[in-house]
Amino acid sequence: MSEPGGADPGGAGGVVIGEDGLARCPWALSTPDYLAYHDEEWGRPVHGDDALFERVCLEAFQSGLSWITILRRRESFRAAFEGFSIDAVAAFTDQDRARLLADAGIIRNRAKIEAAVTNATAAIEVRDSYEGGLDALIWSYAPDPATRPAPVSTAQVAATTPESVALSKDLKKRGFRFVGPTTAHALMQACGLVNDHLAACSAR
C-alpha cells in the first residue's frame, strides 16, 4: 500500500531510502506528515479505551478518503469530539451533531458523525460487559507475530486478514458502525496489533 489503510496505486514497492539514509516503507516519504506518522506512530502499540476509540473513529472517517486527509485534520477532530472521550461523545446531543456538521475543520459527513456517537455508546456497553473493555476486546484479535512473516514489499501487505474480518464481525455485532474488515485491518496496522512495516524498514 502507498499509505496507511489505502491501496497501492504505485505498484509493489520495497523500502525507499530517505535523505537521512534510513530505509522506510515507500508511503512514508510521500509527505512530511506521513514521515512523522510512519516513524513515530504507525505500528506502535496503542492502549486505552479512549485512545482506541479515537482510532476507530478516525479510521471510520477515513473510509473512502486518503488517510492524509484525516491526519491533517486530527487536531480539529480531537477538539470537535472532546478529545474522543467515550463518555463525552456518547452524551452528544442534536446540538452537538449540528455543531459537527458545521465544523469545516473535520469531515462533515452526517453518517460518519452519527457513527462516532453510536460507536461511543457501543464502547460503553463493551466496557460494562467485557473484562478489560474496548482495549481488551480489540487486542484479543492480535495475531501471534510468529504467524506473520515480515512483508518484503507492499505487494505482500494485505488489505484484510482473517483476524480483521473476525474483529469487524465482533464490533458490528456489538453495535459499532463503519468498521468493515478493511477498516478493521487499518486499525490493527495503525495501533500495533500487527506489524506491517516492511522487513527492511528502519521503523520495524
Side-chain angles (χ1 to χ4, degrees):
M1 65 184 182
S2 64
E3 62 177 285
D8 182 18
V15 294
V16 291
I17 308 300
E19 293 180 359
D20 56 4
L22 294 178
R24 293 181 174 88
C25 302
W27 60 267
L29 296 185
S30 59
T31 75
D33 304 85
Y34 272 163
L35 181 62
Y37 180 67
H38 170 274
D39 287 3
E40 300 167 14
E41 292 189 64
W42 195 74
R44 296 179 185 272
V46 174
H47 285 286
D49 281 13
D50 285 352
L52 285 165
F53 172 68
E54 174 182 342
R55 299 303 186 96
V56 169
C57 289
L58 293 180
E59 294 292 351
F61 272 100
Q62 186 264 338
S63 179
L65 302 171
S66 167
W67 177 246
I68 197 67
T69 302
I70 305 302
L71 191 60
R72 289 173 174 166
R73 291 169 169 77
R74 184 162 57 169
E75 292 309 316
S76 295
F77 271 107
R78 286 173 171 167
F81 283 91
E82 304 288 341
F84 287 100
S85 160
I86 291 171
D87 292 310
V89 176
F92 275 8
T93 63
D94 288 343
Q95 287 74 22
D96 288 304
R97 290 172 171 82
R99 168 180 59 81
L100 294 168
L101 283 169
D103 190 340
I106 66 170
I107 304 301
R108 293 177 288 181
N109 179 297
R110 184 183 299 275
K112 292 177 180 179
I113 289 170
E114 290 290 348
V117 179
T118 297
N119 291 349
T121 300
I124 289 175
E125 293 177 1
V126 169
R127 185 175 67 199
D128 293 343
S129 64
Y130 192 95
E131 185 175 355
L134 187 64
D135 185 314
L137 174 66
I138 289 176
W139 275 89
S140 73
Y141 287 93
D144 180 353
T147 67
R148 290 180 56 87
V152 175
S153 71
T154 54
Q156 296 176 358
V157 179
T160 65
T161 63
E163 292 86 4
S164 77
V165 171
L167 173 58
S168 170
K169 186 177 297 185
D170 195 350
L171 291 174
K172 287 180 178 178
K173 181 182 68 177
R174 296 174 187 273
F176 286 82
R177 294 163 54 190
F178 279 95
V179 287
T182 301
T183 298
H185 185 55
L187 173 74
M188 295 173 81
Q189 291 174 309
C191 296
L193 281 77
V194 297
N195 185 352
D196 275 345
H197 284 286
L198 301 186
C201 176
S202 59
R204 186 172 176 89

